[in-house]
Amino acid sequence: MIRILIVLLLFNFTVSAQEISPYFKNYSKQDYKGENTNWDISQNSEGSIFIANGTNLLTFNGDFWQKYKLPNPFTIRSVEVINDTVYTGSYHEFGYWIKDAKNRLNYTSLSSSIDPANFDNDEIWKIINVKNDILFQSFGKLYIYHKKSRKIDIIPFGNISAVYSFYIDDTLYITTKNNGLYNLKNEQIEFIEVR
């Protein structure tokens, strides 16, 4: 009889546990007072989120929303938190945000050191951390920011249009719209033959 009672109690706890749903909360545009489109999202080690929201960088720590703007009015397309530094990319612009003594984010442009003629109507759609470098990928080029030397190398994609890049097993793969798959080797873009 005791065994049957234990089995029934365990069954009851199991059924009850399956009825519990995770908590979700939706936030409207009125909550965060931003724009309609959220292009990208990232999270830091403390759980705060960072959102590329039109011309805004939105931050949310679970209690409060904050809104930051770039010095220019361009749309922020990408955001990536790397070691508590927030990197963003937009039209003809990419750089990073760090907190000041008042816990506010301040922006530093990395792309301002590049000749504007190199941009060719570029927007930064993807940001990837690769060892000691930060990669900023547009449809036409890859901008490699070397953190140690603070130099930026530019690798053009040539006649291909990159869609997204992915860093897998120490290799950067670049997907294209109609031209196949490429990778980055010795700072050169190489086509990958599929057999």
Side-chain angles (χ1 to χ4, degrees):
M1 184 67 170
I2 293 177
R3 287 184 194 170
I4 294 173
L5 182 61
I6 291 172
V7 169
L8 286 174
L9 284 173
L10 288 175
F11 178 77
N12 188 32
F13 287 130
T14 305
V15 171
S16 296
Q18 291 176 355
E19 292 176 9
I20 298 173
S21 298
Y23 175 74
F24 290 98
K25 173 144 175 61
N26 292 318
Y27 293 95
S28 70
K29 180 180 158 183
Q30 287 72 31
D31 293 323
Y32 57 80
K33 297 180 178 40
E35 296 181 26
N36 287 329
T37 306
N38 296 311
W39 292 101
D40 199 6
I41 188 168
S42 189
Q43 188 173 22
N44 70 8
S45 59
E46 297 168 346
S48 294
I49 60 170
F50 300 82
I51 304 165
N53 171 254
T55 58
N56 305 305
L57 172 65
L58 294 178
T59 68
F60 184 60
N61 66 2
D63 291 319
F64 302 105
W65 290 95
Q66 288 185 299
K67 186 167 42 174
Y68 299 94
K69 294 219 178 261
L70 289 171
N72 59 44
F74 298 131
T75 300
I76 299 173
R77 301 287 189 189
S78 54
V79 60
E80 187 67 32
V81 180
I82 302 166
N83 299 328
D84 294 328
T85 300
V86 181
Y87 292 88
T88 57
S90 67
Y91 178 77
H92 284 213
E93 180 67 46
F94 57 89
Y96 61 90
W97 305 76
I98 54 173
K99 287 184 181 179
D100 62 16
K102 295 180 180 177
N103 215 25
R104 299 269 309 157
L105 290 174
N106 290 311
Y107 183 72
T108 300
S109 175
L110 294 171
S111 55
S112 61
S113 66
I114 299 173
D115 182 352
N118 284 319
F119 277 108
D120 295 333
N121 208 25
D122 271 352
E123 289 186 270
I124 305 301
W125 288 94
K126 184 87 172 182
I127 302 168
I128 300 172
N129 183 28
V130 177
K131 298 177 184 168
N132 293 318
D133 300 329
I134 307 295
L135 309 182
F136 296 89
Q137 180 242 307
S138 72
F139 291 141
K141 293 185 182 78
L142 191 64
Y143 301 88
I144 303 174
Y145 172 60
H146 303 285
K147 290 189 283 188
K148 286 185 179 177
S149 66
R150 298 188 166 279
K151 280 183 50 188
I152 297 173
D153 289 330
I154 302 170
I155 299 174
F157 292 145
N159 60 354
I160 66 169
S161 179
V163 179
Y164 279 108
S165 301
F166 302 93
Y167 190 66
I168 304 167
D169 294 332
D170 294 328
T171 302
L172 181 73
Y173 294 95
I174 301 147
T175 63
T176 64
K177 188 169 183 179
N178 294 315
N179 295 318
L181 183 65
Y182 292 75
N183 65 6
L184 180 67
K185 279 192 179 176
N186 301 320
E187 300 205 359
Q188 297 291 321
I189 304 298
E190 294 183 0
F191 179 69
I192 299 174
E193 292 277 347
V194 180
R195 300 172 195 216

